[in-house]
């Protein structure tokens, strides 16, 4: 579905651009196709609608050069830093984001055919522009299959909502554009709408899709996988209203915003469950294989694109040296490790006694031993992180235990191929695949567990720790056989538990990067990351020391929102730059 006729492999230029940019299909008739011709042919109409999907990012490990978004958050430390000062990882840590340069754009060259994640602003508006062209013309068409016409219309409106959500998460409120600009439009007068206004616009597109009877909850056949559905509409609506209610965009803590987010979360949860969605029974395996319509009832939307099939490449660039990985990649941080509960449900580490996170505040009642920090932890810890002496599997006929201690086969060192903090990424990696095999772990952009946690957070802020909040969080915990949360938590205590739950349940899935921003805690989370250096003693035992792995600059309030690109401000004088830039 995502590979289309060559006539549609044309980039439609930025919707907010000087009026001189002409639609490539609006050309003088000379035997070539025009936009009017497209909307006279039902096959071309569908292809045009489908082409909007081409702007969906690849996510996963496709941040240049094959890194994950987690390395730009406190979830992990990128092994490119500090030895490769040119890498976008080192640039990000050094605070090199500016209105004229975004390190996350590094390596991207659409015109040159290089499709890394990047060019977020340009691609987002390109997609919205194409969606608006489609929506402005589809109403004047009478397709033979009116049900398909209705479904395509709902899909494209939902795509527009999706791209708006991705843009405003990064840049804040932007102009609401719901139609194709006329040739004589004066772009100098274009102004930004608020985040709340954009959220309402996104919700209106989602509601339209939800009400469309021809849009299914799930795709019914293999060939339609990767298309937007009604369940995606619920997911987008739930997420955008949660962001709109969060501290970054709700500084006055307007209870009404939380109530709207809670209602959307509840609506989404109930609709999806009623239509057969359920949490996958095996958390670890769920992320290691290609989901199917028959055995996966948790995934709401996954990226269906050959370039996004990152299972095999993920090994090679986020793996242990023993299996021949080229890079250690996203090495989980000690802060993340400390965030996992004990298997008994208790919190092992409640904070730090120093700014460098080297002196943890240990909850002695939890049963945690800092000399045996990996014992009896949440099962999601073992499914997500390789730690020193974790059993990896059989390599070259021998059982292998991760040797991330100093001097070990997978030992900690300041090399791109080695962890800098004593840990390696396990989530998404199936040890049975090994290097050279291509995995089929497609990127899960939306899934049911997020909906439960979205609802729990919003409902807690709106009404406190109600039974409904407990049930939503505990449903997610029970999937991995974790105990229910303690009873009688205050709103503040429940807030902390929900944030911890999001951190470990959604780890490495590109939520943490945005969560710490919308919660306005970036200055508390992103100043540095630490690790654990293990030393093997002559008797075979190990001693350990917490170490600072890297310090960062990109934690001030201005980094909560990305700057509007400088060239855009030059085109649109009525625009205002984001705070601090």
């Amino acid at each position: 579905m995502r590979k289309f006729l060559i006539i549609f492999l044309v980039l439609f230029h930025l919707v907010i651009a000087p009026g001189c940019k002409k639609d490539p299909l609006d050309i003088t008739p000379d035997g070539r196709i025009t936009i009017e011709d497209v909307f006279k042919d039902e096959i071309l109409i569908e292809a045009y609608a489908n082409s909007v999907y081409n702007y969906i990012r690849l996510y996963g490990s496709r941040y240049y050069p094959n890194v994950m978004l987690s390395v730009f958050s406190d979830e992990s430390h990128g092994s490119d830093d500090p030895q490769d000062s040119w890498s976008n990882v080192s640039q990000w840590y050094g605070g090199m984001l500016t209105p004229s340069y975004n390190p996350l754009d590094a390596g991207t060259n659409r015109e040159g055919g290089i499709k890394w994640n990047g060019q977020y602003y340009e691609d987002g508006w390109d997609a919205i522009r194409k969606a608006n062209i489609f929506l402005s013309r589809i109403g004047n068409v009478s397709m033979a299959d009116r049900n398909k016409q209705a479904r395509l219309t709902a899909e494209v409106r939902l795509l527009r909502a999706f791209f708006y959500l991705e843009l405003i998460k990064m840049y804040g409120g932007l102009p609401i554009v719901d139609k194709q600009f006329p040739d004589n439009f004066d772009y100098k007068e274009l102004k930004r709408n608020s985040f709340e206004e954009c959220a309402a616009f996104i919700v209106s597109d989602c509601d339209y899709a939800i009400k469309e009877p021809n849009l299914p909850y799930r795709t019914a056949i293999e060939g339609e996988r990767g298309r937007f559905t009604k369940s995606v509409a619920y997911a987008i609506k739930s997420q955008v209203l949660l962001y709109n209610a969060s501290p970054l965009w709700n500084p006055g803590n307007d209870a009404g915003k939380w109530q709207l987010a809670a209602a959307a979360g509840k609506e989404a949860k109930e609709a999806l469950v009623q239509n057969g969605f359920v949490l996958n029974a095996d958390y670890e395996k769920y992320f290691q294989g290609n989901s199917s319509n028959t055995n996966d009832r948790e995934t709401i939307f996954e990226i269906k694109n050959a370039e996004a099939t990152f299972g095999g490449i993920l090994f090679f660039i986020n793996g242990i040296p023993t299996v021949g990985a080229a890079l250690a990649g996203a090495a989980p941080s000690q802060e993340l490790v400390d965030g996992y509960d004990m298997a008994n449900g208790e919190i092992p580490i409640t904070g730090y006694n120093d700014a460098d996170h080297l002196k943890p505040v240990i909850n002695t009642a939890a049963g945690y031993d800092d000399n045996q920090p990996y014992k009896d932890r949440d099962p999601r810890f073992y499914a997500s992180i390789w730690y020193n002496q974790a059993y990896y599997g059989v390599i070259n006929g021998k059982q292998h235990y991760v040797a991330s201690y100093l001097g070990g086969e997978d030992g900690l060192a300041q090399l791109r191929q080695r962890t800098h903090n004593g840990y390696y990424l396990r989530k998404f990696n199936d040890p049975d695949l090994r290097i050279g095999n291509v995995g089929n772990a497609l990127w899960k952009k939306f899934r049911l567990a997020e909906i439960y946690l979205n609802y729990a957070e919003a409902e807690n802020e709106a009404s406190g720790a109600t039974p409904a909040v407990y049930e939503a969080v505990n449903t997610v915990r029970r999937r991995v056989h974790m105990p229910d949360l303690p009873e009688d938590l205050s709103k503040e205590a429940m807030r902390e538990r929900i944030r911890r739950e999001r951190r470990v349940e959604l780890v490495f899935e590109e939520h943490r990067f945005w969560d710490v921003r919308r919660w306005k805690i970036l200055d508390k989370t992103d100043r540095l990351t630490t690790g654990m250096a293990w030393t093997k003693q002559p008797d075979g035992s190990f001693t350990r020391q917490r170490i600072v792995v890297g310090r960062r600059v990109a934690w001030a309030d201005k980094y909560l929102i990305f700057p509007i690109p400088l060239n855009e401000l030059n085109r649109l004088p009525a625009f205002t730059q984001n705070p601090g830039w």
Side-chain angles (χ1 to χ4, degrees):
M1 184 205 68
R2 304 281 301 280
K3 296 180 179 179
F4 306 108
L5 297 172
I6 191 169
I7 57 173
F8 295 104
L9 299 180
V10 178
L11 290 177
F12 285 85
H13 297 291
L14 188 62
V15 68
I16 298 180
C20 63
K21 285 197 174 182
K22 189 176 180 182
D23 192 322
L25 294 182
D26 287 337
I27 55 181
T28 303
D30 60 358
R32 291 182 290 171
I33 194 169
T34 67
I35 192 68
E36 286 74 20
D37 293 329
V38 169
F39 282 87
K40 294 175 183 177
D41 186 305
E42 295 191 10
I43 295 176
L44 297 183
I45 289 172
E46 184 171 3
Y48 192 93
N50 289 341
S51 68
V52 184
Y53 283 97
N54 287 336
Y55 294 96
I56 295 178
R57 301 205 304 272
L58 301 179
Y59 302 95
S61 55
R62 293 294 292 179
Y63 295 85
Y64 183 82
N66 283 316
V67 299
M68 301 182 72
L69 188 64
S70 72
V71 302
F72 302 98
S73 75
D74 68 337
E75 287 183 324
S76 61
H77 181 86
S79 67
D80 288 334
D81 179 77
Q83 57 274 27
D84 290 340
S85 59
W86 57 266
S87 72
N88 59 350
V89 175
S90 293
Q91 290 174 1
W92 186 268
Y93 295 167
M96 290 184 65
L97 174 67
T98 70
S100 57
Y101 179 67
N102 180 356
L104 292 182
D105 281 338
T108 296
N109 184 346
R110 291 290 184 271
E111 290 72 21
I114 303 173
K115 190 175 182 181
W116 302 93
N117 290 315
Q119 294 190 231
Y120 310 101
Y121 196 88
E122 295 90 337
D123 280 6
W125 281 116
D126 278 349
I128 291 169
R129 178 176 182 272
K130 289 199 75 172
N132 283 336
I133 290 173
F134 179 90
L135 294 171
S136 68
R137 293 174 178 268
I138 192 63
N140 299 321
V141 172
S142 295
M143 293 176 63
D145 188 342
R146 301 307 295 271
N147 292 339
K148 176 181 285 189
Q149 183 173 351
R151 177 176 175 174
L152 290 175
T153 302
E155 282 188 38
V156 173
R157 286 193 64 163
L158 197 48
L159 281 161
R160 182 173 66 182
F162 173 82
F163 286 108
Y164 257 109
L165 172 58
E166 295 293 274
L167 281 172
I168 67 173
K169 282 163 60 175
M170 185 173 286
Y171 297 104
L174 293 168
I176 294 175
V177 182
D178 62 356
K179 58 180 65 68
Q180 183 179 2
F181 286 121
D183 293 338
N184 62 349
F185 184 80
D186 186 359
Y187 291 90
K188 295 192 297 295
E189 302 300 320
L190 196 62
K191 297 181 180 180
R192 300 176 67 178
N193 289 84
S194 68
F195 190 97
E196 183 175 10
E197 290 169 335
C198 290
F201 180 66
I202 291 168
V203 168
S204 67
D205 275 347
C206 292
D207 285 342
Y208 179 94
I210 288 170
K211 293 176 182 176
E212 173 51 58
N214 291 291
L215 188 68
Y217 275 89
R218 296 177 62 88
T219 53
I221 59 176
E222 180 65 22
E224 291 187 343
R225 289 181 66 196
R227 296 182 68 167
F228 276 10
T229 60
K230 209 179 291 287
S231 60
V232 175
Y234 281 112
I236 293 174
K237 181 178 178 179
S238 169
Q239 188 177 112
V240 71
L241 287 176
L242 179 68
Y243 274 63
N244 186 54
S246 298
L248 179 60
W249 303 112
N250 187 16
N253 198 28
D254 181 352
K257 289 188 175 184
W258 286 114
Q259 290 164 1
L260 284 175
K266 181 180 181 181
E267 177 190 27
K269 174 180 67 71
E270 291 179 349
L272 294 177
V273 171
Q274 288 171 6
N275 283 275
F277 284 81
V278 64
L279 298 180
N280 193 288
D282 191 328
Y283 179 87
E284 179 178 354
K285 293 298 183 184
Y286 171 62
F287 296 100
Q288 293 178 354
N290 188 359
S291 61
S292 73
N293 292 327
T294 56
N295 63 16
D296 172 21
R297 309 298 294 184
E298 179 170 353
T299 302
I300 294 171
F301 182 71
E302 62 188 358
I303 307 302
K304 190 179 189 305
N305 187 303
E307 294 177 88
T309 304
F310 64 95
I313 191 68
L314 196 72
F315 258 121
F316 194 59
I317 54 180
N318 294 278
I320 65 175
T322 311
V323 296
L327 299 173
S333 67
Q334 186 63 48
E335 286 75 11
L336 172 60
V337 173
D338 291 343
Y340 285 89
D341 288 354
M342 301 298 290
N344 61 15
E346 296 291 335
I347 298 175
I349 294 173
T350 59
Y352 304 95
N353 282 317
D354 66 317
D356 283 348
H357 298 179
L358 300 179
K359 299 177 181 179
V361 179
I362 296 174
N363 175 14
T364 56
Y368 173 81
D369 181 355
D370 207 36
N371 292 310
Q372 296 180 294
Y374 316 131
K375 182 181 179 181
D376 298 329
R377 303 297 289 271
D378 184 325
R380 289 169 291 190
F381 167 72
Y382 304 109
S384 303
I385 298 172
W386 295 118
Y387 54 92
N388 186 49
Q389 296 303 288
Y391 179 64
Y392 186 91
V394 177
I395 300 177
N396 297 325
K398 297 181 180 180
Q399 291 187 332
H400 182 70
Y401 294 83
V402 176
S404 60
Y405 57 88
L406 292 166
E409 293 177 278
D410 311 306
L412 183 152
Q414 292 292 308
L415 300 171
R416 299 173 72 233
Q417 296 78 17
R418 302 286 179 134
T419 176
H420 297 185
N421 54 20
Y423 302 103
Y424 291 94
L425 176 69
R426 179 172 184 172
K427 191 171 182 176
F428 312 112
N429 278 321
D430 185 345
D432 293 333
L433 287 178
R434 298 290 181 269
I435 298 299
N437 292 298
V438 177
N440 290 316
L442 302 186
W443 188 257
K444 303 178 191 304
K445 176 60 176 169
F446 298 114
R447 62 186 180 94
L448 183 60
E450 180 199 346
I451 304 301
Y452 277 110
L453 296 177
N454 289 354
Y455 170 58
E457 180 179 345
E459 178 65 16
N460 181 61
E461 298 298 334
S463 305
T466 64
V469 175
Y470 272 96
E471 183 60 26
V473 180
N474 288 337
T475 296
V476 175
R477 291 169 66 85
R478 290 167 190 160
R479 184 252 293 276
V480 291
H481 308 293
M482 282 293 288
D484 288 353
L485 293 178
E487 297 180 357
D488 301 321
L489 292 176
S490 65
K491 175 191 283 191
E492 292 70 26
M494 178 60 83
R495 177 188 301 137
E496 177 62 22
R497 295 304 293 251
I498 291 171
R499 291 184 178 185
R500 292 177 65 90
E501 197 67 25
R502 286 185 71 91
R503 184 173 198 175
V504 301
E505 171 66 27
L506 305 175
V507 66
F508 305 122
E509 297 178 51
E510 302 198 1
H511 288 277
R512 180 72 176 178
F513 183 90
W514 303 110
D515 280 348
V516 298
R517 285 169 166 75
R518 66 182 179 87
W519 293 331
K520 295 190 70 173
I521 60 172
L522 187 67
D523 61 328
K524 299 178 178 61
T525 61
D526 280 52
R527 290 175 182 257
L528 77 156
T529 56
T530 61
M532 191 78 81
W534 291 91
T535 301
K536 191 172 186 178
Q537 301 302 317
D539 64 357
S541 63
F542 291 91
T543 57
R544 51 97 187 104
Q545 179 181 4
R546 289 174 179 254
I547 57 172
V548 174
V549 176
R551 300 182 188 277
R552 304 178 181 183
V553 175
W555 52 263
D557 277 356
K558 72 175 185 177
Y559 293 99
L560 295 171
I561 314 171
F562 284 44
I564 299 294
L566 185 60
N567 59 356
E568 192 69 1
L569 290 177
N570 293 335
R571 294 173 181 143
L572 305 170
F575 255 41
T576 55
Q577 183 57 280
N578 285 327
W581 299 105

